Amino acid sequence: MSSFLNSDLWTVLLIINYVVAITAVITVILKNLNPTKTLSYIIVLVFFPFLGILIYYLFGQEYRKNKIFNRKQVLNQSTVKMIHEELELDGKSIRKVDDYLNNKVKLVKLLYNNKNSPLTLCNELKLFKNGDEKFKDLLEDLKQAKHHIHLEYYIVEDGKIGTQLLDIICKKANEGVQVRLTYDDVGSKLSNKMKRQLQASGVEHYPFMPVVFSKFTGKMNYRNHRKIAVIDGKTAYVGGINVADEYVNEYNDNFWRDTHLRLVGEAVKSLQVNFFTTWHFVSNTNLKIDKSYFPEVTCKNSVAVQIAASGPDTDWANIMEAIFTAITTAEDYVYITTPYFVPNDQIITALQVASKSGVDIKLIIPKKSDSWVVKHATNSYLERLFDADIQVYRYNKGFIHSKTIVVDDIFSTVGTSNMDYRSFNINFEVNAFIYDIDTSKVLKQHFLDDLEVCEKVDPTQWSERSKFEKVKESYCRLWSPLI
């Protein structure tokens, strides 16, 4: 009798599962998503009872038009409009550098039209190759803050480096400096003790999209993957380095290679705007925005920079489209470093066409990944690159987390966006797009230096890898639109 009831219950549960799954399948089809992504969801829903529904619930919800992100988009538009009117930021500077940028002006106009990202000309830049370098400067800049400190990070942990940073901002808040911190609730691990210290010191802090049981939701969608620091509206930081000990080699047994950028000049205003749009969303408050947050700046150098942000609150995949345009307009070379290479068809096609047109395409990825699924999903794309004579290198020294692209000694980008579906379509990202010969040459040299500790993947040997490896790659690739 008991076994009969159990069998009966199992049948009922299966029926309920497939009623829900079929409803979800119809919903996915009607969304007119990318066919590959649609098929991935259908396979998961049909062939993985219960688990498929859970995965769809966690990863398959389309929030780009959801009311929560519609609200953020409205906040973004009103905030950006107000600030741009106040500061008179517009597209005039684009015309000033038409001749200098040559065909890269298409990229400038694309970003400006997509997200109203002004091209700023008065900037000084400093590149950091690792977290040790970044935090040496960042902590000193924080100590010198006079008016405000704005921090927006995917990961903030109160380990060794996190405690140093958080202690400084607490001290500055006690001195009367306005300090605001927003951190992603899934990526970050702030102890209750540290939260109480921040609160007691007067540091305003909010998690981005709080979740329940964050330890078990590390792959949930729509996370704030940005890393932004703005100090007194004059100095800003952006790049791949979070506030955690694993990013600092002094505190880490495994070598971590990363890239970050310090900016002084007009581009700081764009990063400030991005911080304000996020702050309005997480705090549900409207700060009085005045010129104390956007002071007049002077600089010794004239480096052209555009700040581009993307996320589910935008109608366009701004960063992906900019990378696509940079690749398709390349004439000499494209050098890409990324920890996660799970590209969409547009980027793959752009790379193939550029390479077959005579452009030198080189890609650096980690040899050892921090994700088994991503590693094998990445490997599944390599043969398509080899078919177009694209050179692939795997970093051997440790883990490479840099997210950089250099094109033709004239264009480069440093930011938070990986070369994958998640960064292009799901998470909130921000990149600095730089139109400068000197900066491009420095990043190019960094790339060439990294090649010295890489192994080049031989296409012939790669094609002879075991069938078991190919099966793992094919399996993981099914998940590539979801991971």
Side-chain angles (χ1 to χ4, degrees):
M1 184 70 174
S2 176
S3 63
F4 175 77
L5 288 174
N6 288 339
S7 175
D8 234 21
L9 178 61
W10 179 249
T11 302
V12 171
L13 290 175
L14 275 177
I15 291 171
I16 294 172
N17 169 81
Y18 280 109
V19 168
V20 175
I22 290 170
T23 303
V25 166
I26 293 171
T27 303
V28 169
I29 292 172
L30 291 176
K31 285 179 180 177
N32 293 322
L33 301 173
N34 177 285
T36 304
K37 190 172 185 178
T38 300
L39 287 172
S40 297
Y41 281 125
I42 291 173
I43 290 169
V44 167
L45 287 164
V46 172
F47 293 102
F48 296 90
F50 309 111
L51 176 63
I53 292 174
L54 178 63
I55 291 171
Y56 177 73
Y57 174 76
L58 291 176
F59 302 105
Q61 304 302 304
E62 178 55 63
Y63 282 108
R64 191 175 290 274
K65 295 302 180 183
N66 184 287
K67 63 181 180 180
I68 190 172
F69 291 120
N70 277 343
R71 180 172 75 83
K72 188 174 189 307
Q73 187 177 31
V74 170
L75 282 172
N76 290 0
Q77 291 170 346
S78 61
T79 303
V80 170
K81 181 180 179 182
M82 175 174 57
I83 293 172
H84 280 234
E85 286 178 352
E86 175 74 19
L87 300 173
E88 297 181 346
L89 295 174
D90 56 27
K92 293 179 182 177
S93 56
I94 295 176
R95 294 189 292 274
K96 296 179 183 178
V97 290
D98 263 5
D99 294 336
Y100 172 69
L101 292 177
N102 196 8
N103 63 355
K104 298 299 182 289
V105 76
K106 297 176 183 177
L107 178 53
V108 176
K109 291 178 179 177
L110 169 74
L111 289 173
Y112 182 79
N113 291 331
N114 271 10
K115 194 69 187 298
N116 207 18
S117 300
L119 179 70
T120 61
L121 301 180
C122 177
N123 295 289
E124 298 174 29
L125 310 182
K126 183 175 181 179
L127 288 162
F128 304 106
K129 288 188 72 171
N130 284 304
D132 306 70
E133 298 177 4
K134 171 203 169 175
F135 285 109
K136 181 181 177 181
D137 279 38
L138 175 59
L139 296 182
E140 188 58 37
D141 283 336
L142 293 174
K143 291 175 184 177
Q144 303 303 319
K146 305 296 183 186
H147 183 263
H148 66 269
I149 294 170
H150 291 160
L151 302 174
E152 178 179 347
Y153 275 90
Y154 174 58
I155 298 175
V156 179
E157 296 180 2
D158 47 340
K160 293 178 182 178
I161 193 64
T163 298
Q164 290 181 55
L165 185 147
L166 294 167
D167 282 347
I168 290 171
I169 65 174
C170 286
K171 181 181 179 183
K172 298 306 294 188
N174 282 322
E175 292 174 0
V177 174
Q178 299 173 35
V179 183
R180 300 180 178 94
L181 165 67
T182 177
Y183 53 90
D184 189 85
D185 202 40
V186 168
S188 295
K189 296 176 183 177
L190 273 178
S191 66
N192 290 331
K193 178 182 177 182
M194 181 54 73
K195 291 177 183 178
R196 289 193 295 270
Q197 181 180 337
L198 293 169
Q199 190 73 28
S201 301
V203 175
E204 296 182 74
H205 59 97
Y206 292 93
F208 185 90
M209 287 186 64
V211 296
V212 181
F213 306 123
S214 61
K215 290 181 180 179
F216 304 100
T217 53
K219 291 298 183 183
M220 284 187 69
N221 288 343
Y222 312 107
R223 307 317 312 174
N224 187 358
H225 196 239
R226 297 170 185 170
K227 298 97 177 164
I228 296 174
V230 180
I231 298 121
D232 290 340
K234 299 177 180 179
T235 305
Y237 290 74
V238 67
I241 302 172
N242 285 293
V243 184
D245 289 347
E246 64 183 329
Y247 294 82
V248 182
N249 290 315
E250 181 183 350
Y251 306 135
N252 189 4
D253 292 333
N254 298 314
F255 185 79
W256 191 283
R257 168 73 177 92
D258 220 323
T259 302
H260 217 81
L261 182 66
R262 180 181 186 267
L263 301 101
V264 175
E266 294 177 331
V268 176
K269 297 176 182 178
S270 294
L271 286 168
Q272 185 83 290
V273 169
N274 279 284
F275 175 84
F276 273 116
T277 61
T278 299
W279 188 257
H280 287 182
F281 177 65
V282 298
S283 68
N284 201 27
T285 58
N286 288 316
L287 292 172
K288 183 181 178 182
I289 300 173
D290 56 41
K291 290 191 176 181
S292 62
Y293 296 108
F294 299 90
E296 293 296 323
V297 294
T298 57
C299 58
K300 299 175 184 177
N301 298 327
S302 181
V303 178
V305 178
Q306 257 179 315
I307 302 297
S310 65
D313 57 339
T314 61
D315 288 328
W316 301 97
N318 304 314
I319 293 175
M320 187 279 289
E321 291 181 356
I323 291 172
F324 174 88
T325 303
I327 294 169
T328 55
T329 57
E331 296 179 353
D332 185 16
Y333 72 87
V334 177
Y335 293 164
I336 300 170
T337 304
T338 181
Y340 311 112
F341 185 75
V342 188
N344 55 22
D345 288 338
Q346 295 96 308
I347 294 297
I348 284 286
T349 301
L351 290 169
Q352 289 176 321
V353 170
S355 181
K356 289 190 288 185
S357 301
V359 177
D360 178 25
I361 310 286
K362 288 183 172 67
L363 169 69
I364 292 179
I365 55 177
K367 182 174 183 179
K368 294 182 180 179
S369 178
D370 58 352
S371 169
W372 183 88
V373 176
V374 173
K375 175 184 176 180
H376 289 290
T378 294
N379 289 346
S380 73
Y381 287 89
L382 298 189
E383 283 195 20
R384 290 186 66 184
L385 301 184
F386 296 144
D387 288 343
D389 295 324
I390 295 170
Q391 301 172 61
V392 179
Y393 299 82
R394 296 197 292 189
Y395 190 80
N396 270 329
K397 188 175 179 180
F399 183 65
I400 192 161
H401 191 254
S402 293
K403 308 146 194 307
T404 63
I405 302 175
V406 194
V407 180
D408 292 348
D409 281 355
I410 182 61
F411 166 79
S412 57
T413 181
V414 175
T416 69
S417 178
N418 300 306
M419 294 283 282
D420 63 6
Y421 280 95
R422 183 164 292 276
S423 285
F424 290 158
N425 298 307
I426 297 174
N427 286 341
F428 294 84
E429 307 282 0
V430 62
N431 273 40
F433 289 84
I434 307 158
Y435 312 89
D436 178 63
I437 294 173
D438 292 336
T439 304
S440 296
K441 287 184 176 179
V442 170
L443 279 170
K444 178 183 179 180
Q445 189 58 53
H446 287 182
F447 184 93
L448 296 175
D449 291 342
D450 289 333
L451 286 184
E452 296 297 317
V453 288
C454 287
E455 63 178 35
K456 186 176 182 181
V457 183
D458 181 81
T460 302
Q461 291 181 359
W462 187 256
S463 64
E464 295 172 352
R465 68 197 185 283
S466 70
K467 289 184 178 180
F468 182 58
E469 285 297 313
K470 294 179 182 180
V471 168
K472 287 192 290 185
E473 292 167 12
S474 298
Y475 172 75
C476 292
R477 183 166 179 153
L478 285 173
W479 298 81
S480 62
L482 317 181
I483 58 180

